[in-house]
Amino acid sequence: ADRWCAMSDARPQPSDPNDELRIKEALKARERGWLVTPTRGKSPYRKGWASEPPPDEATVRRWASAGNYAIRTGEIVVIDDDTNDGSAEQVLSLLPTVTVITGAGRKHHYFRRPATARIKSSTSKLAPSVDVRAEGGAAVGVGSRHPETGNIYAWAPGRSPDEIFAEHLRFGRAL
């Protein structure tokens, strides 16, 4: 009985060593002004998630503690390069930007939407296997676990997530 009392007073331990990273990154995303939503696997599941008001810190912490989360796109635009060879950077002449290595080993290139632009999400419109996560879309957040591979989404070395510039979002073709 004494052992039970001592254990019940202890703080809950993360069930997955990655939980702390995921929670920390979700909270940092919120601090940057990015909108966060919980996901099942890679997909947001809350009804009306794309138009919900910004969640408070406690809500973001609760969602990230429970599992994967995504960054709601629109102000942030993500070029989702699912090509086998990572060729979207060259094909689209992307300037260097903040990049996430996905749990599948692919890349998410982050950009800030230019103030005067309206960019819609699209699938393989820019190039085969290259999607645009923009208005009404979402990109799985850093620290989340890929539902098929079990690998963790991580920032690529180089630029800080605080270094996303609108002027880097330029393409030779329409979004």
Side-chain angles (χ1 to χ4, degrees):
D2 290 337
R3 183 171 182 223
W4 172 255
C5 289
M7 289 181 72
S8 65
D9 291 340
R11 287 186 72 157
Q13 295 300 308
S15 58
D16 177 340
N18 183 63
D19 286 354
E20 287 182 39
L21 171 66
R22 189 179 57 250
I23 295 164
K24 179 180 99 174
E25 289 293 341
L27 291 171
K28 280 185 178 179
R30 182 184 175 278
E31 288 172 14
R32 289 183 190 103
W34 300 355
L35 300 176
V36 174
T37 192
T39 65
R40 287 195 183 108
K42 300 190 305 180
S43 301
Y45 63 86
R46 292 173 56 84
K47 186 176 181 174
W49 65 268
S51 59
E52 286 184 320
D56 61 24
E57 182 177 331
T59 301
V60 170
R61 182 180 299 280
R62 186 176 72 250
W63 288 344
S65 295
N68 286 356
Y69 73 97
I71 305 299
R72 287 169 36 190
T73 53
E75 294 298 318
I76 297 295
V77 176
V78 175
I79 305 302
D80 182 355
D81 181 357
D82 282 332
T83 60
N84 290 330
D85 59 1
S87 61
E89 284 179 83
Q90 292 76 35
V91 171
L92 299 173
S93 300
L94 297 178
L95 293 173
T97 189
V98 177
T99 302
V100 170
I101 305 301
T102 71
R106 308 294 195 224
K107 293 180 180 177
H108 286 172
H109 303 281
Y110 276 57
F111 298 90
R112 186 167 307 283
R113 179 184 54 83
T116 58
R118 182 168 181 226
I119 302 172
K120 295 182 180 181
S121 293
S122 65
T123 305
S124 294
K125 184 177 174 183
L126 288 178
S129 300
V130 178
D131 301 335
V132 176
R133 306 286 181 221
E135 194 174 298
V140 176
V142 168
S144 294
R145 186 176 299 279
H146 192 282
E148 294 156 16
T149 67
N151 295 329
I152 304 300
Y153 286 68
W155 296 114
R159 296 182 183 269
S160 158
D162 297 316
E163 297 179 289
I164 298 175
F165 304 105
E167 61 269 16
H168 287 178
L169 186 58
R170 289 181 275 190
F171 298 100
R173 51 188 96 162
L175 291 176

